Structures are given as structure tokens and as C-alpha cells.
Amino acid sequence: MALEKKPLVVCISGPSGVGKGTVLREVLRQEDRAWVSVSATSRPPRGQEENGVDYYFVSQEDFQQMIAADQILEYDEFCGNYYGTPRAQIEARLDAGYSIFLDITVKGALAIKKALPQAITIFLAPPNLQELRSRLEFRDTESPEKIVSRLSQARQEISQAPQFDYFLINESLEETSSAVQDILYVERLRAFRRAVAIQSIVEKF
Ligand code: 5GP
């Protein structure tokens, strides 16, 4: 069925360290025309991160100018830094018929849903906070103070999970990515169903 691959807008949120990026990479292996939004951030690059690939790394001032110029579709402040979705790239990919995946904060996902009501929101939770702490420590990309700050942000984000369309506990990469693929499948069938219903109404005129 051709419409199974209908373009979708998918926001994945959840606490830092829960594994959003890893799950997304796995899911994208099964997608044809999919694109992951590259955010702008005022956070400095860490590890092997590349400008224009992982993020657009900009100064705090440049970020504020982008907001003022309406170049940012949504943004949030997370642990002292700005993170935002550049508007132009989303519009271009939507026009080109791509599915768009966004790895963003809770506030960001809810803002995207407001701007693009067809967006699907998925919340990924850790099995528990101790596990999240271990993952952040194992990742070894943040100082101990930053880990504390990200864990306190995590509690706050998890409390907002009921506002999402889907809630998954990330116990294993395999199970979670397969659950996300099931969600995409069902959402494409729903989109197909809506398209068929509209078609049958139009045909009566
Ligand atoms: P990190 O510093 O670990 O790369 O990202 C911190 C948080 O910012 C993550 O939860 C990530 O999902 C979120 N984030 C990344 N890009 C964006 C964005 O464009 N908008 C919003 N609202 N959050 C973002």
C-alpha cells in the first residue's frame, strides 16, 4: 500500500540520557524519505559533535537574533542553554514530502504539535531514575553538576508525559524501536483512512 509511507511529523521527547538519539537512529534504518531536524543551540559542542550535522552551534546572541527574526519554529531553555528548531528547514522538508523526526524537549514537542497539528508526540521514559543516572554517568559527556541538573530536569519532564500521544518505557533498544515502528505504521494507516474518507465525500459533489 503506497500510502503506508505517508510523510509524518514525529516528536520524540524524554529525559536527557533516556536514549532518544539511539532509538531514532534505529527507527530511521527502516524509513525511506525521512529527515531528522538539526536544531540550533547555544550549548558548546561535546565529544565528536559536528556543526551542521548534530546541531548548529551558535552564540547566545545569535540565537536571540534568530528568535527575533522569526527563524525559529519553537525553542526552549534547557539547563542554561537555548535549543530551537530552525523554521526554514522544516518547511522545505515538509514541502518535499519527507517524514520529519525531532528530538526535542517536552515544551518543544507541545509547541510543534500546536504549530503542526498532524505531529505525533512520543514520550520515552527510563525504567527508573537510577537507571537514567547510570546512563548519563556511563555516557561521560557531562560534569557531575550537569548530571544533577539534567536529573532534576528529568523529573520535571516525566511529570508532563501524560500530555503526549504515546508513552514508552525504554527498557531495550530493540523493543522500543520496534514499538516506535508500530506507532508509525498505525499513524500511517490512520492518515490513509482520513484521506480515503475525504475522497469519498468529494466524489459525491
Ligand atoms: P543535549 O544537550 O543532550 O544535546 O540536549 C538537551 C535537550 O535538548 C534534549 O532533551 C533534546 O531533546 C533537547 N533539544 C534538542 N534540540 C532541541 C530543539 O530544537 N528544541 C527543543 N525544544 N529541544 C531540543
Side-chain angles (χ1 to χ4, degrees):
M1 192 193 304
L3 275 169
E4 275 177 24
K5 287 290 174 194
K6 220 177 150 17
L8 299 172
V9 178
V10 183
C11 300
I12 301 212
S13 297
S16 171
V18 77
K20 289 164 288 181
T22 315
V23 168
L24 259 183
R25 272 192 296 280
E26 185 62 24
V27 168
L28 287 174
R29 281 155 40 104
Q30 305 294 326
E31 291 282 309
D32 312 325
R33 282 172 72 76
W35 177 75
V36 182
S37 169
V38 181
S39 302
T41 183
S42 62
R43 162 171 83 60
R46 68 183 179 214
Q48 305 294 309
E49 285 181 338
E50 273 181 61
N51 190 34
V53 177
D54 299 287
Y55 279 107
Y56 294 105
F57 294 101
V58 298
S59 67
Q60 198 122 346
E61 296 70 40
D62 286 348
F63 198 101
Q64 281 161 348
Q65 272 174 19
M66 289 166 82
I67 298 171
D70 201 26
Q71 291 168 355
I72 297 286
L73 181 57
E74 64 69 38
Y75 74 96
D76 199 357
E77 273 184 78
F78 181 89
C79 295
N81 287 302
Y82 284 119
Y83 294 81
T85 306
R87 182 188 295 281
Q89 56 177 22
I90 297 286
E91 288 172 355
R93 299 291 164 152
L94 274 179
D95 288 349
Y98 277 78
S99 283
I100 297 175
F101 291 80
L102 302 103
D103 166 349
I104 56 179
T105 59
V106 167
K107 183 179 163 210
L110 299 177
I112 291 285
K113 181 107 184 170
K114 214 165 183 191
L116 305 168
Q118 77 270 34
I120 301 152
T121 55
I122 303 176
F123 191 92
L124 280 196
N128 54 60
L129 281 182
Q130 186 47 47
E131 171 76 25
L132 190 67
R133 178 192 293 273
S134 309
R135 289 186 197 177
L136 282 170
E137 284 169 355
F138 180 73
R139 196 164 83 174
D140 200 21
T141 52
E142 317 294 332
S143 64
E145 301 77 52
K146 292 221 167 101
I147 290 183
V148 169
S149 155
R150 283 179 180 239
L151 283 171
S152 104
Q153 189 74 29
R155 283 194 200 90
Q156 146 79 13
E157 289 193 288
I158 292 168
S159 73
Q160 292 175 278
Q163 297 179 66
F164 278 63
D165 298 325
Y166 296 94
F167 178 80
L168 298 174
I169 296 178
N170 190 18
E171 303 262 11
S172 86
L173 171 63
E174 205 189 341
E175 277 174 19
T176 306
S177 45
S178 135
V180 173
Q181 273 153 6
D182 289 348
I183 291 170
L184 302 186
Y185 182 73
V186 168
E187 290 290 343
R188 287 191 166 114
L189 288 178
R190 283 160 62 93
F192 175 74
R193 170 76 181 79
R194 282 194 295 271
V196 168
I198 292 164
Q199 185 63 35
S200 60
I201 293 166
V202 169
E203 276 167 8
K204 287 188 190 135
F205 281 82

